[in-house]
Amino acid sequence: MGTEQSESETHTSNSSNTSPATFKLVGFNNFVRTNSNSDHFIVKRFHHIEFWCGDATNTCRRFSWGLGMPVVAKSDLSTGNSVHASYLIRSGQLNFVFTAPYSPSTTTPTSSATIPTFSAPKFHLFAARHGLGVRAIAVEVADVEAAFLASVARGAKVCSGPVELEDGVWLAEVELYGDVVLRFVSFVNPREEVLFLPGFEVVDGFRDLDYGIRRIDHAVGNVPELGPVVEYIKGFTGFHEFAEFTAEDVGTMESGLNSVVLANNDEMVLLPLNEPVYGTKRKSQIQTYLEHNEGAGVQHLALVSEDIFRTLREMRKRSCIGGFEFMPSPPPTYYKNVKNRVGDVLSNEQIKECEELGILVDKDDQGTLLQIFTKPVGDRPTIFIEIIQRVGCMLKDDAGQMYQKGGCGGFGKGNFSELFKSIEEYEKTLEAKQITGSAAA
């Protein structure tokens, strides 16, 4: 929101959707970014993402190979967990956990679940409704109990109250959107003393498997309607609006979406949200997601690379041998304009490599954004992965150490638009196959 507006004032909406009077969009050009430092509790960083899947072993190995993230820890039958199998892959600060249930008939009378919030009945409903998907977005907070109580007092819907696992590790959960939960994790002792969560044991694997991915940049959710979800999340977290886009900013002549990015105080925990725009020539790709996912959920996860060129070379080598495929690259005309926009940041050789690898490039007043998107990673056209590198915005902390400002380079309206077009073209290829198949039948 702009500095001249109070929390109760409204924006002018370009959306055809009906949202609460307290929330309306102004679009990319009219949005004024203001960090209100309004968090209701101390948020440190993304801690992990938990996927619920039908087979944790093979799903974990596929992501490990495709992203260059070795399997480092496990909690399963071999560790005494008869409730669920969970496997952790890690690269830098990035933690992905893959969880699947064991048969309830084999569960010990005293629950041995390492993740105490796991529920087999909830899992089966989740899997039937969504297929492969993100169950939990976990953030590390200073104090789980304080974060939980502050959230619930401001309207957060409870999933699981604070529970101490052991070793001073605490966990709690509240609803985020759809069947996705926001998981709070805190460590009384330095977190370096804990492998991941108590009960996980070390796995000796391919520790040299590393394509340069280091942390989560943002986790994007698709919802039927932005207004209620934005107000709900802002209300219990205190997060502020970091960016917004309307159909006029990123849509095409045929379809569109609206988007808002929420951020914590240091803007290292970014939660973008998208809604479909209705009444267009084509069905919005967000609506397509909502239909296939049977409701709101995580659309994609953006992963930060320390060297996006190395990461993409390694990932593309494996696209057809168990890795991830990528969305179609933009046309050559896109890259003819890149030099004019970022020629002061990227060399001619780097721009050429961006074209060869299909990397999108954009820039704002603070920094430069490089990104690329995979095709959906599962059977359904729902969740996918983004690889991102932010260039610029380097600052010094109190100890004199250099760090990159959160959200450096923004979200790139041009890149967002190219992604939208790319997904639209990808969906057209799927529709063409379906039409051909129907005609043949």
Side-chain angles (χ1 to χ4, degrees):
M1 292 184 179
T3 54
E4 73 279 2
Q5 292 176 296
S6 69
E7 285 291 321
S8 61
E9 290 179 288
T10 60
H11 293 164
T12 301
S13 175
N14 292 316
S15 169
S16 60
N17 291 15
T18 301
S19 297
T22 54
F23 174 80
K24 293 186 180 180
L25 298 168
V26 297
F28 180 83
N29 292 328
N30 296 319
F31 181 81
V32 179
R33 185 186 302 166
T34 303
N35 186 344
S36 55
N37 287 293
S38 52
D39 290 358
H40 296 318
F41 45 88
I42 299 174
V43 179
K44 295 185 175 181
R45 66 178 184 107
F46 283 113
H47 184 263
H48 68 269
I49 299 291
E50 184 182 19
F51 294 82
W52 276 2
C53 50
D55 186 318
T57 299
N58 287 298
T59 308
C60 166
R61 289 176 179 174
R62 194 275 179 102
F63 276 73
S64 174
W65 173 248
L67 296 173
M69 298 174 62
V71 183
V72 297
K74 65 180 180 180
S75 175
D76 59 13
L77 290 173
S78 71
T79 68
N81 183 351
S82 65
V83 179
H84 61 82
S86 291
Y87 301 102
L88 170 70
I89 62 174
R90 172 181 289 164
S91 185
Q93 292 186 341
L94 176 61
N95 295 306
F96 277 178
V97 184
F98 300 87
T99 296
Y102 289 119
S103 169
S105 65
T106 66
T107 301
T108 55
T110 302
S111 177
S112 57
T114 304
I115 301 175
T117 56
F118 180 80
S119 163
K122 288 183 179 178
F123 170 89
H124 291 300
L125 289 172
F126 183 100
R129 185 177 297 145
H130 312 301
L132 171 66
V134 170
R135 167 59 175 177
I137 297 173
V139 293
E140 182 181 348
V141 297
D143 184 319
V144 160
E145 187 171 19
F148 178 81
L149 292 176
S151 298
V152 173
R154 293 172 173 83
K157 300 171 185 176
V158 177
C159 289
S160 176
V163 57
E164 184 177 15
L165 306 184
E166 60 180 74
D167 302 327
V169 180
W170 286 79
L171 183 150
E173 293 177 358
V174 296
E175 292 183 18
L176 194 59
Y177 44 74
D179 291 326
V180 182
V181 301
L182 182 64
R183 178 177 292 163
F184 301 129
V185 182
S186 67
F187 300 83
V188 174
N189 303 313
R191 65 171 179 262
E192 288 76 12
E193 296 180 7
V194 181
L195 173 65
F196 172 61
L197 294 176
F200 278 78
E201 297 184 6
V202 174
V203 171
D204 292 323
F206 300 98
R207 296 305 173 90
D208 58 346
L209 187 66
D210 182 2
Y211 307 161
I213 295 172
R214 293 295 174 259
R215 62 177 177 84
I216 302 174
D217 187 86
H218 55 275
V220 183
N222 284 352
V223 299
E225 187 179 1
L226 272 179
V229 180
V230 170
E231 293 294 340
Y232 168 69
I233 296 175
K234 284 179 62 179
F236 79 79
T237 62
F239 286 8
H240 61 278
E241 293 179 37
F242 180 87
E244 69 176 51
F245 305 89
T246 64
E248 286 78 3
D249 298 318
V250 298
T252 68
M253 294 289 290
E254 298 184 348
S255 66
L257 61 78
N258 294 320
S259 183
V260 171
V261 181
L262 300 181
N264 73 321
N265 282 355
D266 67 9
E267 300 179 339
M268 293 297 285
V269 174
L270 299 167
L271 298 176
L273 297 159
N274 303 324
E275 71 174 357
V277 169
Y278 299 97
T280 52
K281 181 179 178 182
R282 283 179 53 79
K283 182 191 303 181
S284 169
Q285 58 194 239
I286 307 305
Q287 185 180 348
T288 298
Y289 171 98
L290 294 171
E291 291 173 356
H292 282 275
N293 194 63
E294 297 189 31
V298 172
Q299 181 210 42
H300 76 268
L301 299 164
L303 313 180
V304 174
S305 169
E306 64 181 10
D307 181 350
I308 196 169
F309 302 114
R310 177 167 77 93
T311 300
L312 261 294
R313 285 194 296 269
E314 294 294 337
M315 289 184 68
R316 283 195 178 276
K317 285 179 186 177
R318 295 158 177 83
S319 288
C320 296
I321 48 173
F324 299 113
E325 296 180 73
F326 291 86
M327 285 293 181
S329 300
T333 52
Y334 174 88
Y335 292 98
K336 290 181 180 178
N337 297 321
V338 166
K339 184 172 178 59
N340 295 330
R341 289 186 284 120
V342 297
D344 58 331
V345 178
L346 300 180
S347 67
N348 290 337
E349 290 75 17
Q350 288 174 318
I351 293 173
K352 182 179 179 181
E353 194 161 14
C354 284
E355 182 171 8
E356 291 173 350
L357 294 171
I359 297 171
L360 304 177
V361 186
D362 216 333
K363 183 180 181 181
D364 70 1
D365 58 313
Q366 297 185 43
T368 300
L369 182 70
L370 292 82
Q371 58 192 150
I372 190 170
F373 305 85
T374 71
K375 291 181 179 179
V377 298
D379 298 324
R380 308 187 191 194
T382 53
I383 188 168
F384 57 92
I385 299 292
E386 172 186 359
I387 305 299
I388 189 172
Q389 184 174 357
R390 298 183 181 277
V391 181
C393 314
M394 301 307 295
L395 304 171
K396 281 187 179 180
D397 61 19
D398 295 338
Q401 298 295 314
M402 298 298 294
Y403 71 97
Q404 190 171 57
K405 181 181 177 182
C408 171
F411 278 75
K413 184 179 77 168
N415 285 4
F416 203 154
S417 181
E418 285 298 327
L419 167 64
F420 189 89
K421 293 175 185 176
S422 184
I423 295 176
E424 189 171 272
E425 290 303 313
Y426 174 70
E427 289 186 352
K428 286 180 180 178
T429 64
L430 299 181
E431 291 166 5
K433 292 289 186 181
Q434 291 168 7
I435 292 171
T436 302
S438 298

